[in-house]
Amino acid sequence: VMPPWLHQMPSPPPNGVVSGTWRRVGVVVAAGSGMSSHSSRSPVTLAAWSPLVVALHPSLKIYSPKEWLERARSNPKSLRFASGGNGTGSHLALELFKSKAGVDIIHVPYRGVGPATTDLLGGQVDGMFLQMAVAKRHAMAGKLQVIATPSPQRVPAMSDVPTLSETIVPGFEVVPWFGVVAPAGTPAPIVNRLHSELQAILSSPDVKNQLAEQGAEAVAIGPEPFARFIQSEVIRWGELIRLVGVKID
C-alpha cells in the first residue's frame, strides 16, 4: 500500500507517457530527507489547490484565531493537535505555525487523516489542520469549530472564516496542492500535449464544480512555472523539516 504522504507514479521508459499525481507532501518529505524524487519526474501541470482550515473541538470554547493564540501562549503544551502522520501536510502546517507564532502545541500523529479526524470529533485531541471540505461538513453539524484558514486569501466556500495571515501571523500561508508529473526525460512535445489536455479538462465547468464541492480550485499551471514552483516548495519546506527534525514513520 502506498504511504499517504507520497503518491508516486510508475517508472516506465523515458519516452513513456504515463503520468501520476504528486502531492505537495511527497515533494516536501523528499527534500527534507535528502531524497531527490523531484528530479526524477518531469512536471506537467499544477492541477489544483485544496485549502486547509484550523478545526477545533467545540469543548475548547475557542472561537477566533486570537483566542487560540492566547491559549497556546498562556498554556504551553496544553493543546494537542492531530495529524495524518509524521511528515504529512497537517503536520507540516502545524510545525510551521508553531515556528512562526512562537507557541508550543503538542503534535499527535495518526496513521491517516481518517483516524485523526475521528479522534478530533471525539475530543481525544483538541484540533487539527484539516481539509476544508471535511471540516465544513462537521462544522455545519456542530461537531467542529472552524476558526481560520492558512490559505493566503479567504476561501469562497467558507468566506466568513478569516485567514491566519490577516488575524494573528502576517504572511502565514499553507495551501496543499496537487500536480501531475511524467517520467524524467519525457520529450517536451509529449509533456506539452499532456498539459494541454489536462488544461482543457480542468477548465471544464463540470470538473470545476466537482472540485469546488470538495473545496478545491482548479489552476492548470504549465510545466515550466510548475517546475519553478516545485523547486520553491522544496526549498521552503525542506528548511522547516531540517529545522524541526521531521521524521517519517
Side-chain angles (χ1 to χ4, degrees):
V1 177
M2 189 176 298
W5 50 270
L6 179 60
H7 277 195
Q8 292 182 326
M9 49 176 285
S11 297
N15 62 346
V17 295
V18 178
S19 59
T21 302
W22 199 10
R23 300 197 300 179
R24 175 177 62 85
V25 178
V27 182
V28 170
V29 172
S33 63
M35 296 166 57
S36 59
S37 63
H38 68 285
S39 63
S40 65
R41 303 288 183 262
S42 295
V44 176
T45 302
L46 174 53
W49 309 115
S50 182
L52 296 170
V53 294
V54 179
L56 305 178
H57 192 268
S59 63
L60 289 178
K61 299 188 184 301
I62 293 176
Y63 306 106
S64 72
K66 184 178 179 181
E67 292 175 354
W68 177 40
L69 183 61
E70 290 175 346
R71 177 78 64 86
R73 284 180 172 171
S74 61
N75 297 281
K77 296 186 177 181
S78 64
L79 296 175
R80 293 162 49 87
F81 260 55
S83 80
N86 289 320
T88 59
S90 50
H91 176 204
L92 296 177
L94 173 62
E95 294 297 342
L96 183 63
F97 178 78
K98 289 163 59 177
S99 174
K100 297 292 186 182
V103 295
D104 193 353
I105 296 173
I106 295 174
H107 171 229
V108 184
Y110 285 78
R111 292 191 176 277
V113 174
T117 303
T118 296
D119 271 12
L120 174 58
L121 293 169
Q124 281 74 37
V125 289
D126 300 308
M128 183 176 177
F129 281 85
L130 189 60
Q131 291 290 333
M132 189 205 72
V134 176
K136 182 179 180 180
R137 179 172 69 252
H138 294 302
M140 292 178 66
K143 296 179 180 179
L144 291 177
Q145 181 71 41
V146 174
I147 62 167
T149 176
S151 294
Q153 296 90 29
R154 295 193 181 202
V155 181
M158 297 188 78
S159 59
D160 58 326
V161 175
T163 68
L164 290 173
S165 181
E166 73 182 84
T167 52
I168 56 175
V169 187
F172 189 87
E173 177 182 334
V174 178
V175 186
W177 53 265
F178 298 82
V180 177
V181 297
T186 299
I190 294 178
V191 170
N192 292 333
R193 172 66 184 277
L194 285 170
H195 171 64
S196 295
E197 296 290 343
L198 287 165
Q199 189 175 38
I201 292 170
L202 292 165
S203 297
S204 72
D206 183 51
V207 171
K208 284 186 173 181
N209 289 337
Q210 289 184 46
L211 287 171
E213 289 175 0
Q214 300 175 48
E217 176 189 2
V219 289
I221 294 174
E224 291 186 5
F226 183 25
R228 293 193 295 270
F229 176 75
I230 288 174
Q231 188 58 38
S232 69
E233 288 283 89
V234 166
I235 294 171
R236 177 193 184 198
W237 293 103
E239 289 175 350
L240 176 71
I241 289 170
R242 287 186 288 272
L243 177 66
V244 302
V246 173
K247 304 295 183 183
I248 304 303
D249 293 331

